[in-house]
Amino acid sequence: DSGVTQTPKHLITATGQRVTLRCSPRSGDLSVYWYQQSLDQGLQFLIQYYNGEERAKGNILERFSAQQFPDLHSELNLSSLELGDSALYFCASSTQDSNQPQHFGDGTRLSIL
Amino acid sequence: GQNIDQPTEMTATEGAIVQINCTYQTSGFNGLFWYQQHAGEAPTFLSYNVLDGLEEKGRFSSFLSRSKGYSYLLLKELQMKDSASYLCAVRSSGGSYIPTFGRGTSLIVHP
């Protein structure tokens, strides 16, 4: 158990819809990262938050947005969903120490029909 | 940017030793991680290297050569449960500390 909690585990929806994925980081971790993993792709970094502030952006589409709340949990919002958005979405958390690894949640499997 | 290269797939026999290589190109190297990921599950941390040399942790060891942009993960006494994808991730210097992941090496261990 990594200590990172993601909900829901599975999500099935239709094209054009909007969904929200939720992540609670490990106790004491201030950084939260969101990743997308498709079948034929590696882990693609989307966005990072640190203590409520956006810290870095990766390959995140404009249709996607995220935020981190005062209690440090984070939400990833995906809108105008397309078939290609079907993927595993992982949240990870870490401290800011550069030699510390990221700890990943179990992921949310999003299926777009 | 960063470029990380790993073999796509490897096979090995139970009880044997396997070495999974990772080569990278980056500006401002600041650490390399290895993760294990079983299909459909979360990546789990295996090892971290920031200085040249070998880090041993039980059946798993990881080696780094910064001058060559090269790392390997060595798995000894392979077990069936070691069948998984192994991800190499490189962190570059900068304020965000975000590692870039390779596409992973799928290891199949057979009896």
Side-chain angles (χ1 to χ4, degrees):
Chain A
D1 181 10
S2 68
V4 179
T5 303
Q6 285 190 250
T7 57
K9 290 193 186 307
H10 302 277
L11 203 48
I12 302 174
T13 188
T15 55
Q17 297 297 306
R18 171 189 164 95
V19 297
T20 297
L21 313 183
R22 183 190 167 103
C23 169
S24 293
R26 281 193 328 159
S27 177
D29 285 354
L30 300 181
S31 269
V32 168
Y33 311 77
W34 286 99
Y35 288 88
Q36 180 192 59
Q37 188 176 44
S38 306
L39 271 176
D40 57 348
Q41 298 284 331
L43 276 167
Q44 299 291 315
F45 168 68
L46 296 178
I47 196 164
Q48 178 205 4
Y49 279 82
Y50 175 76
N51 203 20
E53 302 277 332
E54 182 185 301
R55 177 61 65 92
K57 256 184 175 177
N59 301 321
I60 188 166
L61 299 172
E62 284 192 14
R63 301 183 284 110
F64 297 179
S65 64
Q67 53 185 329
Q68 186 180 28
F69 295 86
D71 66 353
L72 300 178
H73 92 270
S74 178
E75 292 181 356
L76 178 67
N77 302 296
L78 315 177
S79 62
S80 304
L81 286 167
E82 302 175 359
L83 293 176
D85 297 328
S86 294
L88 260 174
Y89 290 84
F90 286 105
C91 167
S93 73
S94 74
T95 68
Q96 268 304 92
D97 294 333
S98 63
N99 64 344
Q100 295 302 308
Q102 295 169 310
H103 297 269
F104 285 80
D106 289 338
T108 293
R109 182 172 293 280
L110 176 63
S111 299
I112 312 298
L113 303 180
Chain B
Q2 295 174 342
N3 189 33
I4 300 171
D5 195 30
Q6 306 178 233
T8 303
E9 188 174 293
M10 299 181 70
T11 59
T13 306
E14 193 175 15
I17 299 173
V18 71
Q19 177 175 311
I20 301 174
N21 295 326
C22 171
T23 58
Y24 64 88
Q25 294 173 319
T26 187
S27 54
F29 175 82
N30 195 6
L32 185 145
F33 297 85
W34 283 97
Y35 286 82
Q36 180 192 59
Q37 185 179 25
H38 287 98
E41 297 183 9
T44 55
F45 170 72
L46 291 177
S47 68
Y48 172 74
N49 296 71
V50 67
L51 300 176
D52 291 350
L54 189 68
E55 294 280 341
E56 297 188 76
K57 202 186 277 189
R59 293 190 300 115
F60 293 4
S61 304
S62 57
F63 171 83
L64 175 68
S65 168
R66 288 171 297 170
S67 63
K68 294 181 180 176
Y70 168 67
S71 173
Y72 67 72
L73 180 69
L74 194 70
L75 291 74
K76 303 175 189 174
E77 301 168 18
L78 280 172
Q79 302 174 10
M80 299 296 289
K81 68 178 183 179
D82 296 331
S83 293
S85 185
Y86 291 85
L87 310 178
C88 171
V90 175
R91 178 179 275 168
S92 60
S93 59
S96 62
Y97 299 110
I98 298 167
T100 298
F101 284 81
R103 287 182 171 234
T105 298
S106 178
L107 174 65
I108 301 167
V109 180
H110 55 82

